[in-house]
Amino acid sequence: MNSTVGFLVVGLLVVVLIAIGVLAAILFRRSRAAGSHDPTPAQLEETARLRTEAQQEIEAIRARALEEARDLRADGEAEAEAVRSQATRLRAEAETYQRAVRDEADSYDQSIRSAADELRLKAQAALREAEEAQLEGERLRGEAASFSQSQHDEIREIRLSQERREHRLTEREERLDRDGSDLERRRAEAQEQGEALQERVAALTAAEAEQRTALERIAGLSADQAREEVLAVARQDSKRQAAIIARDIEAEARRHAEVKAQAVIVEAIQRLAPEQTAESVVSTVDLPSDEMKGRIIGREGRNIRSFEQITGVNVLIDDTPETVLLSCFDPVRRETARLTLLELIADGRIHPARIEQVYERSQRRIADRCQQAAEDALLAVGIHDLHPELVTLMGRLRYRTSYGQNVLKHLVECANIAGVMAAELKLDVASCKRGAFLHDIGKALTHEVQGPHAVIGADLARKYGESDDVVHAIEAHHNDVEPHSVEAVLTQACDAMSGGRPGARRESLESYVQRLERLETLAAAHEGVTKVFAMQAGREVRVMVEPGAVDDIGAQVLARDIAKQVEEELTYPGQIRVTVVRESRATEVAR
């Protein structure tokens, strides 16, 4: 920048010198022009004046040049200062950038080192994962080997089962072949009997002619009268033969029907095996401490009296530690009281007004639970168009039990069994499931309406638009009305299967013992009975009779009479089988 200012100053000086040279040249030309003549005073004055003006102008130009040079120098110095400050700033920026680059390089090196460490850690983790994967592969290989072995064993079992099934099929085919041979033999025998019958007819025709002749001769009968007598004899013989054939057909149909019914029932039981939970008529409420018993009783028994009056449930407080019993025949009231007592215990405030408030809230909760239980049951059995009033009544069965078996679960189980059996028998599945599901709905009103629950349930179903088949299945499932439809009989079978399942229902020990004793007493009261044994928890009665006093036909009659007497005089879940054993023994001692 200083060299630039110097060049500008030199340039200005050269301009000034050039201007002075020009003025000197002008003056010299004028002086030469004047030297050719003698100057006059005026010319001399003029020349002096011009010289003076030239000098003044030169001085002015010099002053301007010096001033401009100073200005240029000042500007140059200012610009140089700006350039120096800019250079300083740029140097500072360069140093800052250099430091930033150095810091960035350091951070980059650090990041590279950290990345390298991270990659090293990842590599180590990958090695560990590879080792774990190897171990997992070995484990999976072992599981695959065990699974393969299990599959092999299962295939072997399936193959063995298939072989057993084929063996049974082979035996069945052989049995069918034997039956076919028997049928052929019977057909041949029937043909022979037919030929013999024809021969007999021919003989009878001849005998009839002789008889007609003899009758006409001896008894004086006409031919029409003799024909009527012969027809009466033939008609009686035909009726006897028809009765024998009908008996054989009925026995064959009964045998096949029993086999088919057993297959259908076994299929339904195998496909449906729900859990069974027996329920009680007494609810137990756990207390945080025995001090809570005093708060439940209240001053002079005020709280417990209010609780029993509001809920209608008996509160039993004894020496059992930290326990209170609630007893009531109505399971809905008992569950409502249990929820009320639990909330009162959790809240801690127990007094008559609070008991009433909590009881009303518990009633709403129970209603919601019943409604939800009914909707879940309908969803489980696939029924979606039940009347809302019937849905509400079904919900009340959520807390109803029969011999310890929950009624709503019993109805769901019956509906599923009915659906399986109806599908096997090619019946209307929807109608059968509906009848089985609704058959105990009358139990929701047995405490409010007088009469058998089957009849009450049938009236409810008829009131809310159920079909005649469903109504009949409901009212006939306990033989209050004679069943006359397949749906009604199927509902009875499903009810017996669900109630007779082991563990489904229970009774108290005292009533159980009394029922067994009464069962043995009824059977032992008949003539010819020597011993009676109630077996299989009272589901079978085995009766021993004297062979000399009771013959085979009498044994069948005795079994029927005992079964009918048990049906009329005893109340029991499921069914009871009566078996009469007539055994003859001959013993002799060899001496």
Side-chain angles (χ1 to χ4, degrees):
M1 187 64 190
N2 293 329
S3 62
T4 304
V5 175
F7 288 149
L8 292 175
V9 173
V10 172
L12 288 175
L13 292 175
V14 170
V15 172
V16 170
L17 292 176
I18 291 172
I20 295 172
V22 171
L23 289 176
I26 293 172
L27 292 176
F28 179 73
R29 188 179 296 113
R30 286 184 179 178
S31 64
R32 284 186 64 181
S36 61
H37 302 286
D38 293 330
T40 60
Q43 291 179 345
L44 292 174
E45 292 177 1
E46 181 66 23
T47 299
R49 188 181 60 78
L50 289 174
R51 186 180 294 112
T52 303
E53 290 178 358
Q55 291 177 353
Q56 291 177 354
E57 188 174 356
I58 288 169
E59 291 295 334
I61 289 172
R62 183 183 296 114
R64 286 196 301 274
L66 290 174
E67 186 177 357
E68 289 181 358
R70 284 193 299 270
D71 293 338
L72 289 174
R73 186 173 181 178
D75 293 337
E77 290 177 354
E79 186 175 356
E81 185 65 27
V83 170
R84 280 195 298 274
S85 63
Q86 185 175 5
T88 303
R89 182 176 57 80
L90 291 175
R91 189 180 297 108
E93 291 179 356
E95 292 176 356
T96 304
Y97 179 72
Q98 186 177 4
R99 285 195 300 271
V101 169
R102 189 180 299 108
D103 295 338
E104 185 176 358
D106 294 339
S107 63
Y108 182 70
D109 292 339
Q110 185 66 27
S111 64
I112 289 175
R113 292 192 194 93
S114 62
D117 295 337
E118 186 177 357
L119 289 175
R120 189 180 300 106
L121 294 176
K122 288 184 177 179
Q124 294 175 357
L127 289 175
R128 287 195 299 270
E129 289 180 358
E131 294 176 355
E132 293 176 357
Q134 185 177 1
L135 294 176
E136 183 68 18
E138 293 177 356
R139 187 181 63 80
L140 292 177
R141 194 178 299 109
E143 291 181 356
S146 62
F147 179 73
S148 176
Q149 183 65 28
S150 64
Q151 290 294 320
H152 180 71
D153 296 339
E154 185 176 356
I155 291 172
R156 186 173 63 228
E157 291 294 333
I158 293 174
R159 188 180 295 112
L160 292 175
S161 177
Q162 186 69 23
E163 291 177 356
R164 290 194 295 268
R165 190 178 295 109
E166 291 177 356
H167 181 67
R168 288 197 298 270
L169 290 175
T170 303
E171 291 180 351
R172 186 176 298 176
E173 290 178 357
E174 293 176 355
R175 187 167 60 253
L176 291 176
D177 293 338
R178 290 194 299 270
D179 293 341
S181 300
D182 293 339
L183 289 176
E184 291 294 335
R185 181 176 54 80
R186 290 180 182 179
R187 188 178 295 108
E189 292 177 355
Q191 186 175 0
E192 292 177 358
Q193 291 178 0
E195 294 176 355
L197 183 62
Q198 290 178 359
E199 294 176 358
R200 184 178 179 183
V201 168
L204 287 175
T205 302
E208 182 182 3
E210 294 178 359
Q211 185 179 12
R212 183 185 304 113
T213 303
L215 288 173
E216 288 178 355
R217 184 179 63 254
I218 297 173
L221 294 176
S222 64
D224 294 335
Q225 292 175 346
R227 185 181 299 107
E228 289 294 333
E229 186 175 352
V230 172
L231 287 176
V233 174
R235 187 180 297 108
Q236 184 177 3
D237 187 56
S238 298
K239 287 182 178 180
R240 181 174 177 276
Q241 293 293 332
I244 294 173
I245 295 173
R247 185 187 61 186
D248 294 339
I249 294 174
E250 183 180 357
E252 185 72 15
R254 185 180 294 108
R255 184 173 63 84
H256 287 294
E258 289 179 356
V259 173
K260 180 65 175 177
Q262 291 175 359
V264 171
I265 292 174
V266 169
E267 177 71 17
I269 292 175
Q270 289 178 348
R271 291 176 59 183
L272 183 70
E275 297 180 354
Q276 300 293 345
T277 302
E279 300 186 8
S280 175
V281 295
V282 177
S283 297
T284 302
V285 179
D286 296 329
L287 303 179
S289 63
D290 287 336
E291 296 178 357
M292 187 60 67
K293 292 182 179 180
R295 302 181 64 181
I296 293 174
I297 296 173
R299 180 178 299 176
E300 297 179 356
R302 181 185 60 177
N303 292 341
I304 192 171
R305 285 197 303 271
S306 298
F307 186 88
E308 292 180 346
Q309 182 178 0
I310 293 172
T311 62
V313 174
N314 294 326
V315 182
L316 306 178
I317 300 178
D318 53 15
D319 296 335
T320 305
E322 300 179 356
T323 301
V324 172
L325 298 179
L326 302 178
S327 176
C328 180
F329 71 93
D330 190 341
V332 177
R333 292 213 308 262
R334 188 175 65 252
E335 182 65 16
T336 306
R338 189 183 71 86
L339 294 179
T340 303
L341 186 57
L342 287 175
E343 187 171 350
L344 289 172
I345 293 171
D347 185 42
R349 295 175 295 171
I350 304 177
H351 52 82
R354 181 63 178 169
I355 292 172
E356 187 173 357
Q357 294 175 359
V358 176
Y359 179 71
E360 293 178 356
R361 186 159 56 247
S362 299
Q363 282 183 319
R364 292 192 295 269
R365 290 172 59 189
I366 290 295
D368 295 338
R369 287 187 182 184
C370 292
Q371 188 71 19
Q372 184 64 39
E375 293 175 357
D376 293 342
L378 290 173
L379 184 62
V381 299
I383 297 177
H384 307 288
D385 55 348
L386 197 65
H387 195 277
E389 292 296 331
L390 293 180
V391 174
T392 303
L393 292 175
M394 294 298 295
R396 297 177 63 178
L397 297 177
R398 164 65 180 82
Y399 298 102
R400 177 67 189 267
T401 60
S402 177
Y403 291 97
Q405 184 183 25
N406 185 276
V407 176
L408 185 58
K409 294 180 181 179
H410 165 67
L411 295 180
V412 173
E413 182 179 347
C414 288
N416 292 328
I417 295 175
V420 174
M421 296 177 68
E424 292 290 334
L425 297 175
K426 303 297 186 297
L427 301 176
D428 186 1
V429 176
S431 179
C432 292
K433 290 181 69 174
R434 202 176 188 96
F437 183 70
L438 295 175
H439 77 273
D440 273 345
I441 193 172
K443 290 183 177 180
L445 296 177
T446 51
H447 300 310
E448 304 172 7
V449 180
Q450 296 295 327
H453 72 274
V455 178
I456 296 172
D459 293 339
L460 286 173
R462 189 180 295 107
K463 176 181 178 181
Y464 293 112
E466 294 295 329
S467 63
D468 294 337
D469 292 336
V470 174
V471 172
H472 178 65
I474 295 173
E475 65 184 358
H477 78 275
H478 281 320
N479 291 319
D480 295 296
V481 176
E482 187 69 23
H484 57 73
S485 67
V486 180
E487 290 81 1
V489 177
L490 191 63
T491 301
Q492 288 182 339
C494 297
D495 186 24
M497 291 171 63
S498 176
R501 187 188 300 276
R505 295 182 176 181
R506 64 176 175 82
E507 53 188 339
S508 64
L509 178 62
E510 183 179 357
S511 61
Y512 169 73
V513 174
Q514 291 178 356
R515 182 167 63 86
L516 294 187
E517 292 177 352
R518 178 60 177 162
L519 194 60
E520 292 182 352
T521 302
L522 286 179
H526 291 268
E527 185 179 359
V529 177
T530 58
K531 295 180 181 179
V532 178
F533 301 103
M535 307 178 67
Q536 296 184 3
R539 298 185 183 277
E540 181 180 357
V541 179
R542 189 162 297 179
V543 182
M544 306 295 183
V545 298
E546 285 284 350
V550 180
D551 57 5
D552 292 339
I553 298 177
Q556 295 179 357
V557 174
L558 179 62
R560 188 180 301 110
D561 293 341
I562 294 175
K564 185 176 181 180
Q565 187 177 3
V566 168
E567 290 177 356
E568 293 176 352
E569 299 185 13
L570 293 183
T571 301
Y572 52 91
Q575 59 185 6
I576 298 176
R577 176 183 295 177
V578 179
T579 302
V580 176
V581 180
R582 178 179 178 271
E583 183 180 13
S584 298
R585 294 185 182 183
T587 305
E588 190 67 34
V589 180
R591 301 181 183 277

